């Protein structure tokens, strides 16, 4: 059953979205029971380029990834749209393209170009007024009111916590459907975010192991008052660790035998990606057996 993201966020139980970066990760997340996925721009940079999240990924590269995800899964796709890849007019083009590709929500941040990961130092911001204009432009550009615009501020690390709250207030007033105050540094700051905004607009949290924000599980965030939590880069960190161990084993032993219990065999992977069903479908169109 297809989930309406706006309706799901209106429920009391928190929505958890694993991070994904391609169709295979999206498919496996869906098979594991995820209700939505988060397309992480950082994870695209990590996996496609082997580079950090410092603004190297282009709008068209994200759009291509949305398209292959949407072709493979029916879950809501929440997309990291960085800073919209330019000014308000660029934001509008980004919204139109991402929505056509299959995005259900776009997260827009108030960093300058080139942007960088919210848990890296050295960020800089556009003015609150310019960012509010970008949010209004995004809302005006969407074809469906069910496509959500998420307003994110990275101001805590740049201008301080109070300024981040003020920016968030402006973004809500500009029409943001959900609010994401990135990288609060303590449970006290998390509590103040909830105190000011919970009940007014859905709140989004980002859990990054080794990042600036205390780690709280989904149940704990729900109790605090959050509606949505992402784990954007966890899968890449897990895959990278597995790749390191796999390649070390292979180059040292000349075989996969010692790694067999940590990997799919050929038939197992084909079962995951649906090879038998796809071949059967092809036979039907070829006039073969049903």
């Amino acid at each position: 059953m297809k989930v309406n993201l706006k309706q799901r966020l209106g429920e009391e139980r928190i929505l958890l979205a694993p991070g994904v970066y391609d169709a295979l990760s999206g498919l496996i997340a869906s098979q594991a029971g995820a209700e939505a996925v988060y397309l992480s721009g950082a994870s695209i940079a990590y996996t496609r380029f082997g580079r950090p999240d410092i603004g190297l990924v282009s709008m068209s590269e994200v759009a291509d990834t949305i398209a292959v995800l949407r072709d493979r899964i029916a879950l809501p796709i929440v997309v990291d749209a960085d800073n919209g890849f330019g000014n308000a007019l660029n934001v509008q083009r980004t919204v139109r393209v991402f929505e056509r590709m299959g995005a259900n929500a776009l997260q827009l941040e108030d960093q300058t170009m080139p942007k960088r990961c919210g848990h890296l130092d050295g960020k800089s911001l556009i003015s609150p007024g310019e960012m509010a204009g970008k949010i209004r432009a995004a809302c005006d550009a969407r074809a469906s009111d069910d496509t959500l615009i998420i307003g994110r501020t990275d101001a805590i690390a740049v201008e301080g916590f109070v300024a981040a709250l003020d920016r968030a207030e402006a973004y809500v007033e500009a029409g943001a459907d959900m609010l994401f105050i990135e990288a609060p540094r303590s449970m006290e700051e998390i509590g103040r975010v909830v105190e000011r905004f919970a009940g007014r607009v859905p709140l989004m949290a980002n859990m990054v192991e080794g990042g600036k924000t205390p780690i709280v599980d989904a149940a704990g965030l729900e109790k605090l008052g959050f509606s949505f939590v992402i784990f954007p880069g966890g899968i890449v960190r897990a895959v990278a660790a597995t790749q390191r161990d796999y390649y070390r084993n292979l180059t040292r032993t000349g075989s996969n035998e010692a790694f067999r219990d940590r990997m799919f065999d050929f038939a197992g992977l084909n079962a995951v990606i649906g090879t038998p069903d796809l071949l059967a479908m092809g036979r039907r169109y070829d006039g073969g057996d049903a």
Side-chain angles (χ1 to χ4, degrees):
M1 181 179 65
K2 191 171 182 180
V3 177
N4 181 287
L5 186 60
K6 182 182 289 189
Q7 293 177 358
R8 175 62 182 83
L9 288 168
E11 298 180 13
E12 291 186 4
R13 60 191 179 96
I14 196 168
L15 176 61
L16 184 155
V20 300
Y21 54 87
D22 63 5
L24 181 60
S25 58
L27 174 65
I28 294 174
S30 178
Q31 292 172 343
E35 294 183 81
V37 296
Y38 178 82
L39 177 56
S40 162
S43 293
I44 295 174
Y46 300 154
T47 58
R48 189 161 182 171
F49 307 134
R51 296 291 187 181
D53 180 20
I54 54 172
L56 300 175
V57 179
S58 70
M59 186 269 280
S60 60
E61 288 162 341
V62 179
D64 289 344
T65 309
I66 299 168
V68 296
L69 262 173
R70 177 52 69 219
D71 186 58
R72 197 66 185 92
I73 65 172
L75 297 179
I77 302 171
V78 179
V79 178
D80 178 4
D82 287 343
N83 49 21
F85 306 97
N87 64 15
L89 297 181
N90 295 108
V91 166
Q92 290 198 316
R93 179 169 182 256
T94 297
V95 170
R96 290 192 297 267
V97 171
F98 285 12
E99 194 175 27
R100 285 199 303 271
M101 294 301 102
N104 301 98
L106 286 80
Q107 172 202 299
L108 294 168
E109 64 198 37
D110 54 8
Q111 290 192 46
T112 59
M113 295 182 71
K115 57 88 61 183
R116 61 177 60 194
C117 172
H119 291 259
L120 289 176
D121 295 327
K123 298 182 292 292
S124 61
L125 308 179
I126 62 175
S127 72
E130 183 179 354
M131 181 61 185
K134 283 187 173 186
I135 291 172
R136 290 194 299 271
C139 293
D140 288 344
R142 59 188 169 186
S144 170
D145 288 340
D146 286 333
T147 301
L148 305 184
I149 304 301
I150 303 169
R152 163 177 157 173
T153 180
D154 287 80
I156 291 177
V158 181
E159 299 174 343
F161 183 72
V162 173
L165 294 181
D166 291 342
R167 279 177 172 266
E169 190 73 54
Y171 304 164
V172 172
E173 292 177 2
D177 300 295
M178 182 155 46
L179 189 59
F180 178 17
I181 299 177
E182 173 66 301
R185 300 159 295 190
S186 66
M187 293 303 298
E188 189 268 339
E189 288 186 350
I190 291 173
R192 288 176 64 185
V193 169
V194 172
E195 180 181 7
R196 181 156 177 176
F197 294 105
R200 298 173 54 197
V201 63
L203 293 175
M204 174 176 168
N206 177 20
M207 293 292 104
V208 179
E209 296 79 11
K212 297 180 182 296
T213 300
I215 296 296
V216 184
D217 65 16
L221 289 166
E222 181 182 293
K223 289 179 182 178
L224 288 169
F226 285 87
S227 300
F228 186 55
V229 57
I230 60 172
F231 293 79
I235 183 58
V236 179
R237 291 190 291 278
V239 167
T242 300
Q243 287 177 332
R244 180 196 59 194
D245 294 345
Y246 168 80
Y247 289 125
R248 282 179 176 175
N249 172 76
L250 180 60
T251 57
R252 289 172 181 173
T253 69
S255 170
N256 285 329
E257 285 306 309
F259 216 82
R260 286 286 295 274
D261 62 346
R262 297 180 58 186
M263 58 192 290
F264 288 114
D265 64 11
F266 183 71
L269 181 58
N270 277 299
V272 168
I273 61 178
T275 302
D277 291 340
L278 200 61
L279 293 176
M281 182 185 299
R283 287 195 297 272
R284 288 201 305 273
Y285 291 122
D286 288 341
D289 294 336

